[in-house]
């Protein structure tokens, strides 16, 4: 019976070659599009899943008003006092992504790089692999720099990069103290180099007590079983204790899970996730 069905199908295809070719081509295009869409959805949902402690990592965001219309980054002291005064905080790390660019040179090789500043706790929280260097102390001092594998190859080629020196346009030297594997493409944090956040304190008076300037991203690694929302309220109380002000009277810290950085906003509302959910349905309706 099944053999007869196959024979009939083959005869029909042979008799109607043009019609069969169009249908087969259409089916192939549809299947290819469906596969590409599924791969895209898988990639979007895989963002920031490479960290073993990812379910305990949160980004703090300062909601200044009660309606949460103004959501800022964080001030420098939040990590310091949050770690010191909240028992549920295992580790904290500040990152500045708005440091502009820095012109770095080695011999005749000169490149303009995006300047990223981070605390030395960066590799204790995130599982970005260090190929060389100490993850517990990636910076020896404020004249240290951590390079990705690709960035190191760009400047030094096949030469060992550890201990080499990169120089800025104004003549400041930075010694390479660690080499990290290139950050994955499905990571919200993608940096080619890291500079010590302590550099920012060189031009600021008492940075770790400056509660009024919100220019850093602060990530907290919380202890297992911790209520992140409760930690956010504790952080707000700490802020008000150290900087009592009418302007900050309604401040609250929204704790955004690391695994929701890519597809959700600071308040937890869907952004890219809405598109991820809708796209497969739109694709199915188009056929």
């Amino acid at each position: 019976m099944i053999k007869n069905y196959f024979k009939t199908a083959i005869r029909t295809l042979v008799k109607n070659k043009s019609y069969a070719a169009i249908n087969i081509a259409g089916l192939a295009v549809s299947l290819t599009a469906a596969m590409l869409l599924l791969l895209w959805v898988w990639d979007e949902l895989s963002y920031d899943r490479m960290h073993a402690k990812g379910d305990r990592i949160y980004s703090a965001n300062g909601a200044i008003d009660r309606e949460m219309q103004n959501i800022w980054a964080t001030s420098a002291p939040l990590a310091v006092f949050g770690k010191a005064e909240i028992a549920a905080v295992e580790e904290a790390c500040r990152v500045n992504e708005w440091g502009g660019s820095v012109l770095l040179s080695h011999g005749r090789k000169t490149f303009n790089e995006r300047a990223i500043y981070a605390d030395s706790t960066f590799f204790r929280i995130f599982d970005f692999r260090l190929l060389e260097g100490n993850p517990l102390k990636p910076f020896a001092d404020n004249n240290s720099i951590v390079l990705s594998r690709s960035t190191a190859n760009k400047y030094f080629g096949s030469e060992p990069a550890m201990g080499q020196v990169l120089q800025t346009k104004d003549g400041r030297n930075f010694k390479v103290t660690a080499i990290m594997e290139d950050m994955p493409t499905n990571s919200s944090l993608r940096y080619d180099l890291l500079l010590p956040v302590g550099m920012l304190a060189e031009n600021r008076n008492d940075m770790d007590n400056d509660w009024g300037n919100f220019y850093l991203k602060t990530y907290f690694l919380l202890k297992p079983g911790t209520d992140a929302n409760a930690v956010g309220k504790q952080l707000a109380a700490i802020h008000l204790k150290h900087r009592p002000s009418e302007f900050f009277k309604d401040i609250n810290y929204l704790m955004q899970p690391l695994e929701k950085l890519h597809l959700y906003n600071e308040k937890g509302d869907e952004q890219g996730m809405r598109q991820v959910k809708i796209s497969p349905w739109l694709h199915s309706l188009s056929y």
Side-chain angles (χ1 to χ4, degrees):
M1 180 73 71
I2 295 176
K3 186 184 291 185
N4 290 334
Y5 288 151
F6 275 113
K7 288 180 178 179
T8 303
I10 291 170
R11 289 195 194 102
T12 302
L13 291 174
V14 171
K15 288 180 181 178
N16 302 280
K17 293 179 180 178
S18 298
Y19 178 76
I22 292 171
N23 278 278
I24 291 171
L27 179 62
V29 170
S30 298
L31 290 174
T32 301
M35 287 298 296
L36 290 173
L37 180 61
L38 287 174
L39 287 172
W40 174 76
V41 169
W42 177 86
D43 183 64
E44 290 294 296
L45 295 177
S46 72
Y47 260 73
D48 302 313
R49 306 283 173 165
M50 68 285 298
H51 305 285
K53 301 182 286 287
D55 60 334
R56 297 194 283 125
I57 301 173
Y58 291 81
S59 170
N61 303 278
I64 306 302
D65 56 320
R66 190 171 296 175
E67 293 76 23
M68 294 191 293
Q69 297 300 311
N70 295 297
I71 300 178
W72 298 353
T74 63
S75 56
L78 193 72
V80 178
F81 287 89
K83 172 76 184 299
E85 299 185 17
I86 301 177
V89 172
E90 185 173 317
E91 196 56 88
C93 177
R94 299 167 294 186
V95 176
N96 184 302
E97 296 182 350
W98 307 286
S101 60
V102 58
L103 195 67
L104 295 174
S105 300
H106 176 73
R108 294 183 178 180
K109 295 181 180 179
T110 299
F111 299 97
N112 200 37
E113 306 285 1
R114 181 185 175 204
I116 303 295
Y117 302 88
D119 275 316
S120 60
T121 53
F122 186 83
F123 295 100
R124 300 180 207 171
I125 294 179
F126 301 104
D127 289 336
F128 297 119
R129 188 163 68 97
L130 276 191
L131 303 174
E132 297 181 75
N134 183 356
L136 300 180
K137 192 179 180 181
F139 307 113
D141 51 36
N142 282 352
N143 295 312
S144 304
I145 189 169
V146 175
L147 301 180
S148 70
R149 181 205 292 265
S150 295
T151 304
N153 289 339
K154 183 170 67 174
Y155 285 99
F156 309 111
S158 59
E159 296 179 46
M162 285 290 287
Q164 297 270 21
V165 173
L166 292 174
Q167 189 174 72
T168 63
K169 186 178 180 180
D170 60 4
R172 182 166 181 171
N173 293 326
F174 288 92
K175 184 177 180 180
V176 179
T177 53
I179 307 294
M180 61 183 175
E181 184 59 89
D182 292 353
M183 295 184 177
T185 56
N186 60 343
S187 172
S188 296
L189 287 71
R190 292 188 64 194
Y191 311 135
D192 294 321
L193 61 82
L194 296 174
L195 294 164
V197 87
M199 281 184 63
L200 301 177
E202 295 173 355
N203 300 315
R204 293 176 180 271
N205 293 325
D206 202 11
M207 186 179 88
D208 287 344
N209 283 298
D210 180 9
W211 291 92
N213 289 305
F214 292 68
Y215 62 99
L216 294 160
K217 288 188 174 183
T218 300
Y219 297 94
F220 289 99
L221 173 63
L222 305 183
K223 293 179 180 177
T226 298
D227 182 345
N229 292 328
V231 170
K233 292 177 181 178
Q234 289 175 286
L235 291 171
I238 288 172
H239 192 129
L240 286 172
K241 179 177 74 173
H242 291 278
R243 181 68 184 273
S245 166
E246 181 67 19
F247 181 78
F248 292 125
K249 64 182 177 64
D250 293 320
I251 193 170
N252 185 29
Y253 281 97
L254 307 179
M255 304 297 284
Q256 185 178 15
L258 175 68
E259 294 174 353
K260 289 191 174 183
L261 288 185
H262 182 60
L263 296 174
Y264 297 82
N265 65 16
E266 296 88 346
K267 292 187 285 186
D269 299 330
E270 293 182 351
Q271 286 188 322
M273 178 55 83
R274 189 177 301 135
Q275 186 178 357
V276 169
K277 288 180 177 179
I278 291 174
S279 293
W281 291 102
L282 293 178
H283 177 77
S284 64
L285 290 173
S286 65
Y287 292 98

